[in-house]
């Protein structure tokens, strides 16, 4: 997978420190600038000083869950692409995630290569204005 020449900025949000650590290392190695947050509220606060090209976010988290974060940002006309990581793989949950404003989702456990491909796909659409 080829990351664009300029370092894309990503906000990675998950309450599992192991997932954060593994994904952050992998994504930095792939050429991303990564900022992390352990819950939706911390992510919302981070957005005051960080403008990511994409947010990769867990759904179920303490304080402010991923869906509420996405809905809040969409209500503020923030259209940053969202890719959700979710343990919920039933059609009803998928529809809920997409209806909240997500651009894509990936069910846990996931293949890191598939995550990388989905991120690149979203970033390509963003570059061409087809989000």
């Amino acid at each position: 997978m080829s990351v664009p020449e300029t370092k894309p900025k990503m906000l990675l949000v998950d309450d599992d420190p192991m997932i954060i650590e593994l994904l952050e290392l992998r994504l930095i190695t792939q050429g991303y600038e990564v900022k992390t947050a352990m819950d939706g509220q911390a992510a919302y606060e981070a957005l005051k000083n960080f403008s990511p090209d994409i947010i990769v976010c867990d759904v179920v988290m303490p304080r402010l869950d991923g869906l509420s974060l996405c809905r809040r940002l969409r209500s503020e006309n923030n259209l940053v692409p969202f890719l959700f990581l979710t343990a919920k793989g039933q059609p009803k949950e998928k529809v809920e995630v997409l209806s909240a404003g997500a651009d894509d989702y990936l069910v846990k456990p996931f293949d890191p290569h598939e995550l990388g491909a989905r991120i690149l796909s979203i970033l390509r659409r963003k570059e061409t204005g087809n989000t």
Side-chain angles (χ1 to χ4, degrees), residues 1-11 22-35 50 53-54 116 119-120 123 127:
M1 282 176 276
S2 175
V3 174
E5 288 184 29
T6 58
K7 255 188 180 178
K9 295 189 290 183
M10 177 184 303
L11 180 56
L22 292 172
L23 289 181
E24 181 180 24
L25 178 60
R26 182 175 183 89
L27 293 164
I28 288 171
T29 301
Q30 291 178 348
Y32 293 95
E33 178 184 337
V34 180
K35 183 165 185 70
F50 185 71
D53 296 301
I54 186 170
I119 291 168
L120 285 175
L123 291 175
E127 281 180 9

Side-chain angles (χ1 to χ4, degrees), residues 28-74:
I28 288 171
T29 301
Q30 291 178 348
Y32 293 95
E33 178 184 337
V34 180
K35 183 165 185 70
T36 64
M38 297 295 290
D39 61 57
Q41 187 61 43
Y44 188 75
E45 294 299 319
L47 291 170
K48 293 177 182 176
N49 300 310
F50 185 71
S51 298
D53 296 301
I54 186 170
I55 296 174
V56 176
C57 187
D58 188 12
V59 173
V60 179
M61 295 180 294
R63 295 199 318 154
L64 182 66
D65 66 73
L67 294 179
S68 297
L69 172 65
C70 186
R71 287 184 185 113
R72 178 188 255 181
L73 292 177
R74 296 301 187 244

